[in-house]
Amino acid sequence: MTNTILNYLANSSAITYIVLALLSIYLIIIFWIFIYRYVSLKGLITNEKKSLDSLTSRDSSFSPFSSLNKCSNNSSSREILHACEINIIKDASAGISWLAIISSTSPFIGLFGTVIGILESFAKFSGHSKVGFSLIAPAISEALVATAAGIFVAIFAYTFHQVLTRKVYELNTYIKAQAEIIIAKG
């Protein structure tokens, strides 16, 4: 396996190196965004769930750890609470759009690397009078590595985007429920 990878890299062009380096950077970025956002959203959701539980219990108090409480300064104004909801969700969803961008562009970057690899392979064979499938197949399969890398990155980016979008929705649900209770209690 290692020899195959080293052989592939030894026979690759500068474009292939650039494509694989860019896709590697993409992969690092998506894991960083996912881990950072997932941990922070998990903490926010936990605080808002506790706050909602506190509001619906006997003591009916607003949790001091609630982002909605911190933003609204104990106000029960619909407008202030709505503005706080928007601000909290905007902050919570920062960076998530990058996952969507990466999931949609990485297959095209991989495809670009594949097209260049195939063009280079055909250019190598242009001087030969007879070229068989046994010569073309390995060259094309090596070129397809870039597409596979692009799809690999896109799968993670898309999956992480969906998971984080769901977490933001969950956070939004808890915040809206708290706001409605606070408005109702006046």
Side-chain angles (χ1 to χ4, degrees):
M1 178 72 173
T2 307
N3 288 336
T4 305
I5 293 170
L6 292 175
N7 187 33
Y8 169 75
L9 292 173
N11 294 328
S12 297
S13 67
I15 295 293
T16 304
Y17 289 132
I18 291 168
V19 165
L20 292 178
L22 183 59
L23 290 173
S24 297
I25 291 168
Y26 267 13
L27 193 62
I28 292 167
I29 289 170
I30 63 172
F31 273 96
W32 182 81
I33 290 172
F34 177 72
I35 292 168
Y36 176 73
R37 280 286 145 207
Y38 188 82
V39 169
S40 63
L41 282 170
K42 195 102 164 129
L44 285 170
I45 289 168
T46 301
N47 287 341
E48 299 307 324
K49 186 175 188 297
K50 286 179 184 175
S51 180
L52 181 61
D53 291 343
S54 177
L55 279 172
T56 56
S57 68
R58 287 184 182 215
D59 60 353
S60 298
S61 63
F62 213 170
S63 171
F65 300 112
S66 170
S67 300
L68 191 60
N69 183 26
K70 291 175 188 173
C71 177
S72 67
N73 292 323
N74 292 325
S75 172
S76 60
S77 164
R78 180 178 295 278
E79 292 79 18
I80 291 174
L81 289 170
H82 182 67
C84 287
E85 288 174 37
I86 292 170
N87 191 41
I88 292 166
I89 297 304
K90 177 189 67 73
D91 291 344
S93 62
I96 295 176
S97 61
W98 280 105
L99 295 175
I101 291 168
I102 290 172
S103 71
S104 63
T105 59
S106 61
F108 292 111
I109 292 169
L111 186 60
F112 174 74
T114 297
V115 169
I116 296 298
I118 289 172
L119 288 173
E120 288 174 348
S121 297
F122 286 152
K124 286 179 192 174
F125 300 135
S126 65
H128 296 79
S129 61
K130 277 190 162 183
V131 178
F133 186 70
S134 61
L135 287 174
I136 293 174
I140 291 176
S141 67
E142 286 179 7
L144 289 172
V145 169
T147 296
I151 292 170
F152 180 78
V153 170
I155 289 168
F156 281 104
Y158 183 75
T159 303
F160 292 165
H161 178 267
Q162 293 301 315
V163 168
L164 292 178
T165 300
R166 174 67 183 139
K167 288 291 181 191
V168 169
Y169 173 77
E170 189 177 343
L171 175 66
N172 192 25
T173 302
Y174 286 127
I175 290 172
K176 283 189 181 299
Q178 289 179 72
E180 291 300 320
I181 291 170
I182 291 166
I183 292 168
K185 288 183 178 181

